[in-house]
Amino acid sequence: MDIQKNLKEVLAQLPPNVRLVAVSKFHPNEAVEAAYAAGQRVFGESREQELSLKQAALPKDIEWHFIGHLQTNKVKYIAPYIAMIDAVDSYKLLAEIDRQAGKCGRVIPCLLEIHIAEEDTKYGFTFDSCRQMLEEGSWRELKNVTVSGVMGMATNTDSEDEIRREFGRLRDFFNELKERFFSDCDTFREISMGMSHDYPLAVEEGSTMVRVGSKIFGERVY
Ligand SMILES: *Cc1c(COP(=O)(O)O)cnc(C)c1O
């Protein structure tokens, strides 16, 4: 695995306005260090314990994103340092992030995870449940989180049309939310979509942030 070569190939395909979250979950510290040495500073992890161990051991200017399902009882461990929480899927979680961020004197940027795939998964807001949560309005009182955009995962399929449709829906939904709830916030600006097998499509459909793991670090051994 030539991590630095893979990283450069991915970066070369991204327009300047699209940021890369290098997803290092299940890969050792050495893999992160190799990408770091090539200039990468933004990394994504999906398990709290693994992330906390890496955060303690690795350079402090790394911006860590939490990209997986986060249990509310784990928020306190990552609140002191996490750069962004990419997959907020309930108001309850957002409120707990706010509470823990407040204790650390921080404001934590968060993305709302939207369920866009055909597949059933347990996580993510539906379009309607997300609208309802925002309409209800309590989130406006949370001063220690910033709602910075949306995140979604397309169906794992070979159909480019299907993937494109799903990413297109997420982009349209972002635009709807921007207009209805965030027209005066320039911090609501991220559309996080695109993984190893579909990030070029995601970029064409308006992604501002791709989360790429195996294409850079190789297949994960679980
Ligand atoms: C693991 C993971 C990724 C990266 O997946 P690859 O297919 O390895 O690029 C991206 N986003 C989320 C939410 C993930 O859990």
Side-chain angles (χ1 to χ4, degrees), residues 21-27 44-46 66-69 86-87 113 151-153 192 194-199 210-220 222:
V21 178
V23 176
S24 50
K25 66 188 187 197
F26 293 91
H27 292 285
E45 288 283 336
S46 60
F66 198 90
I67 64 167
H69 176 67
D86 294 23
E113 180 179 4
M151 176 275 210
M153 278 181 278
S192 173
M195 304 166 47
S196 289
H197 64 283
D198 58 17
Y199 71 90
V210 296
R211 306 174 311 272
V212 178
S214 39
K215 183 96 200 281
I216 298 170
F217 297 108
E219 292 304 319
R220 288 178 287 275
Y222 293 104

Side-chain angles (χ1 to χ4, degrees), residues 6-195:
N6 298 343
L7 175 68
K8 281 177 187 144
E9 276 173 18
V10 172
L11 286 171
Q13 288 176 290
L14 300 179
N17 61 314
V18 178
R19 283 188 299 146
L20 170 66
V21 178
V23 176
S24 50
K25 66 188 187 197
F26 293 91
H27 292 285
N29 291 354
E30 292 71 34
V32 177
E33 281 163 347
Y36 183 92
Q40 182 66 23
R41 291 294 179 272
V42 185
F43 292 87
E45 288 283 336
S46 60
R47 296 184 304 173
E48 178 278 317
Q49 273 207 325
E50 179 178 357
L51 171 56
S52 291
L53 288 169
K54 282 179 173 156
Q55 192 274 335
L58 289 162
K60 294 297 170 273
D61 62 341
I62 289 179
E63 292 173 39
W64 293 104
H65 284 224
F66 198 90
I67 64 167
H69 176 67
L70 180 58
Q71 291 171 289
T72 48
N73 63 351
K74 299 285 173 68
V75 174
K76 58 178 174 291
Y77 302 118
I78 64 172
Y81 64 82
I82 200 76
M84 184 177 273
I85 298 179
D86 294 23
V88 174
D89 59 2
S90 69
Y91 179 76
K92 183 175 162 233
L93 177 58
L94 190 65
E96 176 61 9
I97 296 168
D98 180 71
R99 197 168 78 86
Q100 297 297 339
K103 284 191 189 172
C104 307
R106 299 190 66 217
V107 177
I108 298 181
C110 294
L111 304 180
L112 303 176
E113 180 179 4
I114 313 296
H115 181 67
I116 56 170
E118 288 296 323
E119 296 146 354
D120 276 351
T121 73
K122 289 172 287 196
Y123 306 123
F125 288 100
T126 62
F127 293 121
D128 273 337
S129 65
C130 185
R131 286 184 187 105
Q132 274 168 24
M133 189 273 287
L134 293 171
E135 278 162 8
E136 195 273 328
S138 304
W139 62 277
R140 293 185 191 276
E141 310 301 316
L142 307 177
K143 299 305 178 203
N144 295 94
V145 290
T146 312
V147 179
S148 301
V150 296
M151 176 275 210
M153 278 181 278
T155 303
N156 189 3
T157 168
D158 291 332
S159 166
E160 286 201 1
D161 289 347
E162 177 60 29
I163 294 171
R164 231 181 240 292
R165 246 193 323 272
E166 291 172 4
F167 285 151
R169 277 187 212 125
L170 185 61
R171 176 203 56 228
D172 293 348
F173 188 62
F174 168 88
N175 288 332
E176 175 194 325
L177 297 186
K178 177 89 190 161
E179 198 179 304
R180 285 184 60 192
F181 302 103
F182 299 97
S183 54
D184 56 350
C185 310
D186 47 0
T187 46
F188 187 82
R189 61 176 176 222
E190 303 292 354
I191 306 175
S192 173
M193 56 186 190
M195 304 166 47

